[in-house]
Each structure stands twice: as structure tokens, then as C-alpha cells.
Amino acid sequence: MNEVINAANQTPIEIALQIDDEGFTTARKLYEWLELDSSHYSRWCKANIVENEFAEEGKDYSPCVANKGRGNFAQDYKLYVTLAKKIAMASHCEKGNKARDYFIGCEQVLIKLAEQRHKTELERAKGIAVRQALTKAIQQSNENDRMHGYAYSTYTSVIYKAIFGKSVNQLREEFGISKKDNLRDCFSTEELQHIQSAEMLVSSLLNCGWGYDQIKDFVMKNVPRQLAV
């Protein structure tokens, strides 16, 4: 079971290099993974490890003895995963090119995630202003007094039911969160935008003097249904 968990936390390259629990592989494993000419192993170790000005012995690598009797592979080195990746990406071979493509791809994914996170944070910030407007509309309409302080949660339930086809409690259950957690943190940027549009619609209808039953009926019929969460 632990092997499965560890594999799930490693990148494909780390799995291929058999990175141990301390974050180390060996020069021999890296060299064989790169599929380089075995006759150049000693020279490769010297250039990429021993004489590497950016690698520190005792920290990034340390000498170790491999299986004796393997000729050129008798001398081996323990390599920290970071150094192994750097060497792999700097290698002028097919596997080295694949390593570069992989890590560039990872960087692009992180950039997209950062952009998406920024957009989501902006939507959440906009959502605060929209909710404040809805709260003000509810207060001015006296709906909160009529619903004994539950007007905001009641209208929110209508909005979520219209958009997701599920109640607030059902959504919390599906996301596995408690009442103390902010349900909006679980929504995507697009979903937050739809919620804000619906809240602005409810605010407008309240300001026009509509009552709860009218608003509920209108929202359920006219707010676009999203895919189930």
C-alpha cells in the first residue's frame, strides 16, 4: 500500500528513476534511463557529477559502489532528485528532450492554474459586492423581517437550486464540507459568475417590489441550469 501511495506522489520521471524515500536515485539508473552509450559512463559521471560546479558533494551527490563486476558501471553515485532532473534536462538525447518537454509542460500547467486562480479570486471579490447589494435589497424590502432573519439563506437556496438543481445541504454533502466552510470556495469561476448573475437578478426583482413566490418562480424558470456539481 505504501508503494502505491509513494508512486502517486511522484512524477513519471521520478518513478522511472526509482527515487527512494529520501529523494535519491543513482547515476547508473539515470544513465540507463537516458539510454546513453555504456562506454562513455565514466566520462559522463566526471563531467555531469564530479566536475559539475553546480553540484555539491555530500548534498547533491555522494560516491557509492555499484554491483562489482560490471566494468564501467562499478563506480556509482547517489544523486539527489533535483540534480538528476537537471542532468536529464541538459542531456542531448531523446530521453533528455522528453524530460525537457515534460517539465516545460508542467510549468505551463502551473501558469494556467495560477491564471485560473487569479480569475477565481477576482470573481470572489466581485461576489462580495454583489452579495452586499442583495443583502441591502432584502433589508429594504422587509423580506428579512417577514422571514424572521432567514431571507438571505432562503433566496440563496433558490438560486443554487435553479443553477445546480440541488439544495445548499446537498451541495455541501457532495463537496464533503461542513456548515463552517465556505461553499463558494468549491465553485469554479464560471459557476461563481452564474451565481452572481442570479443574485443581481434577485436584487433587481426585490427592488421592483416583487415578492418571494414571484421571484422564486421567475428564477427557477429563467436562470440557466448548470451541469450537476
Side-chain angles (χ1 to χ4, degrees), residues 4 12 25 32 47 50 58 61 71 105 115 118 122 140 151 170 175-177 211:
V4 174
T25 185
E32 290 178 342
V50 179
Y61 73 93
E115 291 175 348
H118 180 64
L122 286 177
Q140 292 177 342
Q170 287 175 321
F175 284 120
I177 61 174

Side-chain angles (χ1 to χ4, degrees), residues 87-139:
I87 294 174
M89 287 189 285
S91 300
H92 298 288
C93 61
E94 182 180 354
K95 285 290 186 67
N97 187 57
K98 288 183 178 179
R100 289 190 291 275
D101 287 343
Y102 174 79
F103 288 112
I104 290 173
C106 289
E107 183 180 46
Q108 291 173 341
V109 170
L110 289 175
I111 291 173
K112 289 181 180 179
L113 288 174
E115 291 175 348
Q116 184 62 41
R117 181 176 179 180
H118 180 64
K119 290 179 181 178
T120 302
E121 289 175 349
L122 286 177
E123 289 304 323
R124 290 198 178 111
K126 287 163 57 179
I128 293 174
V130 173
R131 290 195 296 278
Q132 289 175 340
L134 176 58
T135 300
K136 183 177 180 180
I138 288 173
Q139 292 173 341

Side-chain angles (χ1 to χ4, degrees), residues 10-11 13-15 17-20 22-26 30 59-61 78-89 103:
Q10 291 184 329
T11 68
I13 292 178
E14 289 173 347
I15 294 172
L17 295 178
Q18 301 175 41
I19 303 297
D20 62 24
E22 296 179 347
F24 285 90
T25 185
T26 66
L30 174 59
K59 178 182 178 182
D60 299 307
Y61 73 93
K78 286 186 65 176
L79 302 181
Y80 190 59
V81 59
T82 303
L83 176 60
K85 290 177 180 178
K86 288 179 179 178
I87 294 174
M89 287 189 285
F103 288 112

Side-chain angles (χ1 to χ4, degrees), residues 152-195:
Y152 183 83
S153 60
T154 300
Y155 280 109
T156 298
S157 295
V158 171
I159 290 169
Y160 286 2
K161 190 74 174 180
I163 295 175
F164 303 108
K166 299 169 185 177
S167 66
V168 173
N169 289 335
Q170 287 175 321
L171 290 170
R172 287 188 178 280
E173 185 176 346
E174 289 195 19
F175 284 120
I177 61 174
S178 67
K179 292 183 178 180
K180 295 181 180 180
D181 298 312
N182 189 348
L183 181 57
R184 291 174 190 258
D185 290 340
C186 300
F187 296 135
S188 67
T189 302
E190 183 180 1
E191 289 165 344
L192 289 172
Q193 290 172 340
H194 283 287
I195 292 170

